[in-house]
Amino acid sequence: MHVCKLWIDRFLAFVCIVLCGSLTIIVTWQVVGRFVFSAAGAQSEELAKIMFVWLVLLGAALLFGEKGHMSIEILVDYFSSRWKTIFQIITSVLILLFVASILLIGGFDAVQRTMRQTNAAIPYISTGQIYIALPLCGAFSIFYCIYNIWTDIKVLVKSKAENTPSRED
């Protein structure tokens, strides 16, 4: 499972790097077009918006995999490391339920509902194709939730085994 996580991390990092680089080029082209040629293309502006949304969603999934997401641990800091791990597992399960229902299921629903709608600025891209980023982010986040729960349970079991006194007769 760890090897699978490493491959997904590399894939998401590569996609985010490509999106960020492409976004930089497109936005630079917009600025040059607007100030040098006094006209910026509507397609490049819409493409920049789409790429930004994809970058944010896939970057959020990658950050979630690195446990870099925001958490408020003001109360958890007062507990032992065992209880901190238990709270992390509970938090990951709650996030898993949220991500599965909102991003994955809701994302698939949004994709299905908007697959026939064309984009006004870029008519060869449907709105549903843009929204595919939602269930993709959900799927990657679900994988990371399951991975985090799995590693936290391993830590919990290992710490319990180390604290259990051995019987020597």
Side-chain angles (χ1 to χ4, degrees), residues 1-22:
M1 191 165 193
H2 184 69
V3 173
C4 187
K5 181 191 179 297
L6 289 177
W7 279 101
I8 291 174
D9 287 347
R10 288 179 185 157
F11 171 73
L12 284 177
F14 175 76
V15 170
C16 287
I17 290 168
V18 169
L19 283 172
C20 189
S22 302

Side-chain angles (χ1 to χ4, degrees), residues 58-167:
L58 295 179
L62 179 62
L63 185 68
F64 188 75
E66 296 174 355
K67 288 189 175 183
H69 54 84
M70 184 175 65
S71 63
I72 302 170
E73 299 176 346
I74 193 166
L75 295 175
V76 178
D77 288 340
Y78 294 110
F79 291 100
S80 66
S81 63
R82 183 176 193 279
W83 278 102
K84 285 181 185 179
T85 307
I86 291 170
F87 285 132
Q88 285 178 351
I89 292 170
I90 292 169
T91 303
S92 293
V93 168
L94 292 173
I95 292 172
L96 175 69
L97 295 173
F98 175 78
V99 166
S101 63
I102 300 300
L103 287 176
L104 192 66
I105 296 170
F108 274 126
D109 185 49
V111 168
Q112 288 175 346
R113 290 177 187 260
T114 59
M115 194 53 85
R116 294 184 184 197
Q117 294 177 2
T118 57
N119 190 302
I122 309 173
Y124 49 87
I125 295 178
S126 74
T127 306
Q129 290 170 328
I130 297 167
Y131 287 170
I132 290 175
L134 291 169
L136 277 177
C137 176
F140 287 126
S141 297
I142 286 171
F143 170 78
Y144 285 130
C145 277
I146 292 169
Y147 178 82
N148 291 339
I149 292 168
W150 178 67
T151 54
D152 288 340
I153 288 174
K154 281 177 46 179
V155 167
L156 196 64
V157 168
K158 184 179 177 184
S159 69
K160 187 172 183 174
E162 290 174 354
N163 291 336
T164 304
S166 61
R167 291 186 181 178

